[in-house]
Amino acid sequence: MSMFNNAASFFEKIKEISHSSRRVESTTRIYNLGGSSMALFLAVQEKPFIMVESTEETAEALYRNILFFRSVLHLHETNGLFFLPEPDGPDVCGKRAEVVYKFGDGDSVVTSNDAAKAPLCGVSELKNNALILNPHLEISRDVLEQKLVYLGYKHVPIVVEHGEFSRRGWLFDIFPSTGENPLRAEFFGDVIETIKMFDVSTQKSIRKIEEFTVLPSVEHSEAGNIFSVFEGMNCFYSDSIHHSCDFPEGAVMLSKFSFAGEGIDA
């Protein structure tokens, strides 16, 4: 019973700190968040946030722990939580673009220090340039090729990897940065007649596709970063980061350790 009471007391304290927005926003450090308490602290946040961990591995582990607490405590079930990976080729670029494309009001994101530093496509750019393909879409093959090149796709004889496309007569093969398998669009004139997902090794069709959104396979160096894309959100970062990116004003350090000095003791 005493163990249950201690856990309940700790949970209430974490909730009190998290919900006291004036306290959180006026400090630069919250400490004593050892074990899984950092994940619990973030799980009960009422305002959307960006959380930056030191490495991709620790960021993903924290992301999964936050999801766990949200699930078992039935917290913020209508708000999404995303994990933003570090750039590593067209398929990961697709995952990063997908986070931005699907991100909604009230959603939060967990990422690593290196991922936070990297260029990230903005919301308006993605919405304006995402390529939504479906049967009966009227688009010339030349225009489709131009749009794919703009999104960073490479023209190849046969698609075998994410971020590639090929063009053979009335057939257009695209391996989306976000797809497990490539797509084959069959044209009739300037109209897409059918779209099918196919197996890259056998070239056999898997199933018909009614609609697919093609997102970028590269991130341009002139793009912003996570803080400019998701501007105005609460920002937290781990004290294990040694060479931090430029955090926005008001960012709060979360620490597993005890400190003597300024900050809030969790």
Side-chain angles (χ1 to χ4, degrees):
M1 181 64 74
S2 62
M3 183 181 296
F4 176 80
N5 289 335
N6 288 340
S9 175
F10 176 72
F11 177 57
E12 289 303 319
K13 184 176 183 182
I14 289 288
K15 276 177 61 179
E16 180 187 352
I17 294 171
S18 300
H19 295 173
S20 300
S21 58
R22 185 177 299 174
R23 288 185 69 197
V24 172
E25 290 167 8
S26 64
T27 190
T28 57
R29 177 187 294 152
I30 299 174
Y31 55 92
N32 254 346
L33 290 168
S36 58
S37 56
M38 186 180 296
L40 176 58
F41 169 80
L42 293 165
V44 300
Q45 290 296 307
E46 291 186 332
K47 292 186 177 181
F49 63 84
I50 300 168
M51 172 62 197
V52 184
E53 259 286 7
S54 56
T55 69
E56 188 167 58
E57 291 74 18
T58 55
E60 188 166 11
L62 179 60
Y63 162 75
R64 295 188 185 282
N65 287 337
I66 297 169
L67 286 179
F68 168 77
F69 281 120
R70 280 189 169 193
S71 175
V72 297
L73 299 173
H74 306 290
L75 297 168
H76 313 302
E77 293 175 325
T78 59
N79 295 335
L81 179 70
F82 292 89
F83 172 68
L84 186 73
E86 297 174 5
D88 185 22
D91 58 328
V92 179
C93 174
K95 292 176 184 176
R96 287 168 59 83
E98 199 167 33
V99 169
V100 178
Y101 193 78
K102 292 182 175 180
F103 207 86
D105 292 339
D107 292 344
S108 299
V109 60
V110 180
T111 192
S112 70
N113 189 48
D114 285 345
K117 292 177 182 178
L120 187 65
C121 294
V123 177
S124 59
E125 181 185 354
L126 276 179
K127 299 289 185 184
N128 292 335
N129 295 307
L131 191 54
I132 302 175
L133 301 178
N134 52 65
H136 314 302
L137 175 69
E138 187 172 345
I139 182 172
S140 76
R141 284 165 292 159
D142 288 340
V143 170
L144 177 56
E145 180 171 341
Q146 291 168 10
K147 287 180 176 290
L148 287 169
V149 169
Y150 181 79
L151 291 173
Y153 286 73
K154 295 180 181 179
H155 191 179
V156 294
I158 300 176
V159 299
V160 292
E161 295 180 346
H162 294 91
E164 296 179 340
F165 75 92
S166 68
R167 178 176 173 179
R168 302 186 312 281
W170 300 104
L171 298 179
F172 225 112
D173 291 352
I174 306 167
F175 205 145
S177 58
T178 55
E180 291 184 12
N181 296 286
L183 308 177
R184 177 163 292 152
E186 187 170 352
F187 278 79
F188 183 78
D190 285 341
V191 176
I192 295 177
E193 196 168 45
T194 61
I195 303 175
K196 295 179 182 178
M197 181 182 293
F198 68 94
D199 185 283
V200 71
S201 57
T202 66
Q203 296 291 303
K204 290 183 178 180
S205 297
I206 298 173
R207 60 184 173 89
K208 288 186 176 181
I209 300 293
E210 294 303 319
E211 183 172 279
F212 196 95
T213 301
V214 181
L215 295 177
S217 65
V218 297
E219 287 165 313
H220 301 292
S221 58
E222 65 271 15
N225 61 24
I226 190 172
F227 306 116
S228 59
V229 172
F230 303 128
E231 193 174 6
M233 293 172 57
N234 284 350
C235 179
F236 301 102
Y237 66 99
S238 169
D239 68 337
S240 58
I241 297 173
H242 300 298
H243 301 287
S244 66
C245 54
D246 294 327
F247 292 113
E249 186 177 353
V252 176
M253 176 192 289
L254 303 184
S255 176
K256 298 176 182 177
F257 306 105
S258 298
F259 284 95
E262 275 188 37
I264 298 174
D265 185 355

